[in-house]
Amino acid sequence: MIKKIAIGITLFTLLGFTLANNFRELVLGKLENYAANYPEKIYVQTDKPYYTTSEDIWYTAYLVNGISHQKSDLSRVLYVELVNEKDSIVSKRQLYTEDVSVAGDFKINKDWKSGKYLLRAYTNHMRNDDADYFFQTQIPIWNVSEHDTLNKKSNVLSNTSFSTKKGPVTPPEIGFYPESGYLVNGLNTKVGIKIKDQAYHDIELKGNIKDSNNNVVSTFATYKFGLSVASLLPEAGKTYYASIMFNGEEVKYPLPEALPSGYNLNMINSGNQIIVQASSNTGIGLKNTFLVAHQRGHLIYERLETDDKNNYKVKINTAALKNGVVSFTLFNSSGNPVCERLVYVDNQNDNANIKVTLDNEAPKTRDKVSMQIDLSDKTGQPLSGNLSMSITDIDGVGQSAQSENIKTYLLLNSDLRGPIEDPGYFFQNENDIKRRYLLDILMLTHGWRRFTWNDLLYKPPTKNRFTPEKGILISGNTSSLKGNKQPIPTATRITLMGGLPYQEKKQTDIKGVFNYGPFVFNDTLAILLEARVKDFKSDNDKKNRLVSIALNNTNFSSPKITRNDVLKSTLQDSSKINSFLQQAKNIFQIDAEFAKSARVLDEIVITAQKETEEEQREQELNDRTDYGYASKRLDMKSLENQSHLSIFDLLNMLPGVTTLNDSIYVRNETPAVYLDGFQVELVDISHLTGSDIDFIDVLSGAEASSFSNAGNGVVAIYSITGANISIKNVKRKPGIIDFEAIGFYSAREFYAPDHLNGFEEAMKADIRTTLHWEPKIVLNENNTKAEVSFFTSDKKSNYAIKIEGITDSGIPVYHLSTLEVD
């Protein structure tokens, strides 16, 4: 009998180990798959934190592998958008990068309203995740022509700039964050404390942790950012609360109730090593638990515990680790994540230094200044990488080393949940004990945001809907020009009419589908696309050309605007804002006066008949269609405040069209439905609203003759992005189509005055707030030192030299220094 019991125990133990080992393989396999299909990250550096109308926003976008922070091997194409307060995209750029960075710019229209604009950037591949993972930052813009901009305190930066400090009138809101997730009876635990009200962040707040018998068991005091930590050993049968004195009265805050049994992860981060202590008071202790640590999805440690011990310690050397957030997760024997603790690795050997050397340390106004930029590791060895630089007037454009930058975004904000106040603070003063202490509390009060374990492990894998883009694709399909006009396989040939013509031939598939590219070109390129029923050797046969060519809409609707995770302005100095606005108004007046004095030509009056706006609009819409004019047309531009309506609501506005239960009828018949020239199913358009649509045509009889399967009529829907399709001026003939393809945006060159040789510069006052913008500085083995030159302006001031970038090995770099112009 004893022998049978022993065998049973052995089998049970082996079964438990097998299940635990299988779970270990599941976790490691999922992490490996996550790393192989890594997320991408984008960071955008702008020349200034805020602007006025008629100015230019100069920027450099950095696109990296979200795990290694090196060059992404997925996407080469990215999109940068500027969005107003009404969530309308006022400007959009499609950019191409061969490495990790690309320059861009936006011209701010003089008629735009003052407001908090949103600058966001993403790739097509990033659209597979929530839009909150896009790079998003707040860009305040003022319209200097608005009469009250300078006379009244602008509300553009309400809750940040112009806020006045008032004495506390209500008790603060306090959050409590037990280390690794829960309080557990009998397990000593650190509790992160965070004052959620920003007004209290600079006020030292002292308090006590008391038990249900009102005994003080621990104390705490908040520091910078309203952060603190307390130690607690919960006891069975007791509850706990935090106690503070406010206006002479005690205010109580209940702590989370302790669990009778569970697990705990305690961390001590000494800088050069991380000490991990796992504990449990369950019946089997830590038996068959699995501890895993990863950094941005890259596995750095794992341990499957096979003994029934109640605790163990692990020491992890950080010398070989990259800087950034490391997530430790403990899974119980059932495979459920029961503890999570974040730790920040601050490995000083994984930093890079930027050194700026000026040829003139004390320049005067309108002096030429040359600088040398060096990028090196901690030992002084040169590093290769990409940088961008802005030089701005500190009097008008406030700069702070504690504000957001590429280093804080890639290493903190992009991986943590919730906003981080003055993130640059956590990267200052390498050996500052207080900074390290607060950084660890920051890890206690934030969670890993890139994925949750339950989703990663147990959610069925979904195929990505959006593929990485390497360039511009020219795609479409061919169909018979006569008879039933059905898709047919054909021979196709594309000719790019650029400087050196390029030609390529392909056979379509059985459904007539063709794909060319990816191509990389800027601006506009003339393209000739041909198709033949047989081949191009049989061109003498006229029937060989009876082919219709249809192009795909290569653009897509911009993703939904969200503002859940936006880097917001942290500017507090209202005097600098007012100085910036006054300087902007002075520049506006100088430009106006100079333009007036520069008019040397006599006025010539030309009289001509001008098309009405209605006629121009009608022609614009007709040019988008193959059939031209439609007698039944709904133009969204003529409808005000209707962008929220569904596609079915809009169709009901057209005569002869009815919708019922998401079905469409034209004169009681079911029509064919086309979206941007291609036949679709109802499910493909059901999500559309007025904000997605440019216009809708309803065709029947002769009007619908250019469509196949149009016996019951046609509903032709054209999207707004279709209007901005990357092709224009389409001309069609049998077997041939030529058009202009719109390529990638080429950034304008920053206007850098030449005060030695420039005529205009000699005649015009120069009080720029952006002294210089250098969007791309490439350092490599052939160019280990960069040389940059610029002229100072007429303004005596202190100027901030801000350099951001990333090394080829994935180290984000940030430099801020000053230049005084006397």
Side-chain angles (χ1 to χ4, degrees), residues 207-441:
N208 298 311
I209 304 295
K210 297 182 179 181
D211 63 19
S212 48
N213 296 325
N214 298 321
N215 297 315
V216 176
V217 296
S218 186
T219 62
F220 65 90
T222 61
Y223 296 95
K224 192 175 178 67
F225 310 121
L227 296 174
S228 186
V229 67
S231 183
L232 181 63
L233 180 62
E235 296 181 24
K238 290 185 178 182
T239 58
Y240 299 86
Y241 65 92
S243 168
I244 67 168
M245 297 302 296
F246 184 82
N247 291 338
E249 296 183 1
E250 184 184 31
V251 182
K252 298 180 180 181
Y253 300 85
L255 268 64
E257 188 173 345
L259 300 176
S261 64
Y263 304 82
N264 178 254
L265 284 178
N266 175 260
M267 302 286 173
I268 298 176
N269 185 2
S270 63
N272 59 354
Q273 69 176 4
I274 300 169
I275 301 174
V276 185
Q277 178 169 312
S279 306
S280 173
N281 66 352
T282 63
I284 59 172
L286 294 168
K287 187 178 181 64
N288 292 332
T289 60
F290 183 53
L291 176 66
V292 62
H294 71 88
Q295 187 176 51
R296 301 187 291 269
H298 172 69
L299 179 69
I300 63 172
Y301 181 81
E302 50 113 348
R303 172 169 174 161
L304 177 62
E305 182 55 54
T306 57
D307 295 333
D308 57 356
K309 59 179 64 175
N310 289 322
N311 60 75
Y312 63 72
K313 281 187 179 181
V314 175
K315 294 182 180 179
I316 299 175
N317 192 333
T318 62
L321 299 180
K322 298 284 188 179
N323 283 336
V325 179
V326 174
S327 175
F328 287 83
T329 304
L330 182 70
F331 297 88
N332 65 13
S333 57
S334 299
N336 296 315
V338 290
C339 292
E340 183 181 64
R341 173 68 153 93
L342 304 185
V343 177
Y344 188 85
V345 171
D346 192 5
N347 183 359
Q348 298 305 314
N349 294 323
D350 190 44
N351 287 329
N353 295 325
I354 295 175
K355 181 181 179 183
V356 174
T357 306
L358 302 174
D359 69 336
N360 184 355
E361 296 286 349
K364 307 294 184 183
T365 58
R366 297 205 171 204
D367 266 358
K368 184 176 183 180
V369 178
S370 295
M371 66 169 58
Q372 179 178 286
I373 301 172
D374 298 89
L375 180 63
S376 62
D377 63 15
K378 295 292 289 185
T379 65
Q381 293 299 309
L383 293 174
S384 55
N386 283 255
L387 309 174
S388 48
M389 178 183 71
S390 67
I391 305 177
T392 53
D393 181 2
I394 295 178
D395 284 348
V397 182
Q399 293 286 359
S400 170
Q402 295 187 16
S403 61
E404 184 69 49
N405 58 65
I406 190 172
K407 194 169 184 176
T408 65
Y409 181 76
L410 292 181
L411 299 181
L412 278 183
N413 290 78
S414 60
D415 291 332
L416 297 180
R417 295 192 187 102
I420 299 173
E421 182 184 353
D422 293 340
Y425 169 84
F426 300 101
F427 295 88
Q428 294 178 302
N429 305 325
E430 291 184 2
N431 298 314
D432 185 1
I433 297 176
K434 181 180 178 181
R435 177 190 69 87
R436 286 181 178 270
Y437 172 76
L438 290 173
L439 181 56
D440 193 56
I441 301 177

Side-chain angles (χ1 to χ4, degrees), residues 473-479 488 490-494 506-509 511-517 529-531 547-552 678 737 739:
L473 298 176
I474 306 295
S475 61
N477 66 284
T478 57
S479 59
I488 56 172
T490 64
T492 64
R493 179 170 64 192
I494 193 171
K506 282 187 178 182
Q507 182 72 26
T508 70
D509 65 14
K511 294 182 179 180
V513 175
F514 61 84
N515 289 282
Y516 285 99
L529 188 60
E530 303 167 274
V547 181
S548 176
I549 305 172
L551 290 172
N552 286 340
F678 293 92
I737 182 173
F739 55 92

Side-chain angles (χ1 to χ4, degrees), residues 84-123:
N84 66 17
E85 287 189 328
K86 295 182 178 180
D87 286 348
S88 296
I89 297 172
V90 295
S91 194
K92 181 175 182 176
R93 300 288 186 239
Q94 182 184 24
L95 306 173
Y96 176 86
T97 176
E98 293 182 347
D99 40 49
V100 299
S101 70
V102 58
D105 62 84
F106 289 120
K107 182 68 178 178
I108 303 175
N109 191 294
K110 63 182 178 65
D111 297 324
W112 288 357
K113 298 292 185 181
S114 299
K116 300 173 187 174
Y117 287 69
L118 176 69
L119 186 151
R120 71 172 186 171
Y122 58 90
T123 66

Side-chain angles (χ1 to χ4, degrees), residues 367-371 389 391 771-772 788-792 819:
D367 266 358
K368 184 176 183 180
V369 178
S370 295
M371 66 169 58
M389 178 183 71
I391 305 177
L771 200 62
H772 190 70
V788 176
S789 298
F790 59 92
F791 281 91
T792 60
L819 166 68

Side-chain angles (χ1 to χ4, degrees), residues 440-451:
D440 193 56
I441 301 177
L442 186 74
M443 296 297 103
L444 276 173
T445 57
H446 287 71
W448 174 255
R449 73 184 291 255
R450 284 282 161 178
F451 62 79

